[in-house]
Amino acid sequence: MSRVGRVERNTKETSVVVEIDLDGSGKVDVSTGVGFYDHMLDQLGRHGLFDLTVKTEGDLHIDSHHTIEDTALALGGAFKQALGDKVGIYRFGNCTVPLDESLAQVTVDLSGRPYLVHTEPEKMAPMIGEYDTTMTRHILESFVAQAQIALHVHVPYGRNAHHIVECQFKALARALRYASERDPRAAGILPSTKGAL
Ligand SMILES: [Mn+2]
């Protein structure tokens, strides 16, 4: 049984296609027109061991906001689709990832309810290439809203903006992988006493 998701999203601001295979091998083909964001989505696929295709054409003549946000929305939707009925998965996952001087701690519950808690250093370079660093929280909000997961992301310390953002995507990738992977002891079992996730 394959666990794949596909979302196509078209508005006057952006056209987005996202495909994800949760049981992939980290094969990534991403192009959003925002170099640093491509680099982050590459981390997500690689460290999540997801096969991930992202094609976004957005209104970059305005700025990168819609392009980044709408891609995150589609990614969240595709991830939720791929999770399917959530039978036999671990459900919870966490990972702490350092990147030189920066540290990210990510905890996830594939709960069916959207909730984000996010903290990162307030002082950070405002831009990384065309990537506005205030967009990281907006990406996580958008992803969480569509994926319907509880996500806690904390960067207790860090100095370099590139490192601060990248360690969050790496830890997110690994936490999502652990939570979505099949638990060999739980085959056929839904990880909820409520009977629904
Ligand atoms: Mn927005």
Side-chain angles (χ1 to χ4, degrees):
M1 197 178 58
S2 68
R3 297 192 299 164
V4 298
R6 183 178 196 279
V7 168
E8 202 170 333
R9 190 180 189 282
N10 294 295
T11 70
K12 286 177 182 171
E13 295 170 343
T14 62
S15 305
V16 186
V17 182
V18 172
E19 292 172 351
I20 190 166
D21 181 347
L22 300 184
D23 303 302
S25 55
K27 269 182 286 173
V28 179
D29 182 9
V30 166
S31 96
T32 65
V34 183
F36 182 76
Y37 193 36
D38 288 355
H39 180 44
M40 292 304 99
L41 296 173
D42 204 5
Q43 304 298 329
L44 197 67
R46 183 67 54 87
H47 296 291
L49 286 181
F50 308 131
D51 288 346
L52 181 64
T53 305
V54 177
K55 300 284 166 209
T56 302
E57 285 178 33
D59 52 1
L60 292 174
H61 59 284
I62 295 176
D63 68 3
S64 60
H65 190 117
H66 302 135
T67 297
I68 291 172
E69 175 175 3
D70 294 358
T71 300
L73 288 167
L75 185 63
F79 183 76
K80 180 176 188 291
Q81 220 182 80
L83 278 176
D85 62 12
K86 301 179 186 169
V87 169
I89 62 168
Y90 284 100
R91 176 179 169 181
F92 306 103
N94 66 81
C95 190
T96 299
V97 169
L99 207 175
D100 296 348
E101 88 296 341
S102 298
L103 187 82
Q105 303 161 322
V106 173
T107 309
V108 63
D109 176 7
L110 308 179
S111 59
R113 298 185 306 276
Y115 205 101
L116 175 70
V117 180
H118 180 245
T119 61
E120 64 182 359
E122 295 279 325
K123 278 189 183 171
M124 206 189 320
M127 299 295 291
I128 308 167
E130 298 301 306
Y131 181 92
D132 171 347
T133 55
T134 66
M135 287 303 287
T136 305
R137 182 170 300 165
H138 208 19
I139 290 164
L140 298 174
E141 286 165 348
S142 304
F143 180 77
V144 159
Q146 294 298 313
Q148 298 191 332
I149 65 175
L151 178 65
H152 293 232
V153 177
H154 296 294
V155 180
Y157 49 82
R159 189 180 63 254
N160 177 271
H162 189 125
H163 290 167
I164 289 169
V165 179
E166 184 167 337
C167 64
Q168 293 179 67
F169 276 89
K170 282 178 164 154
L172 174 63
R174 202 50 80 87
L176 289 175
R177 172 181 155 197
Y178 295 153
S180 62
E181 250 167 20
R182 291 194 174 98
D183 178 352
R185 290 190 60 200
I189 298 170
L190 184 73
S192 167
T193 55
K194 199 166 55 184
L197 265 183

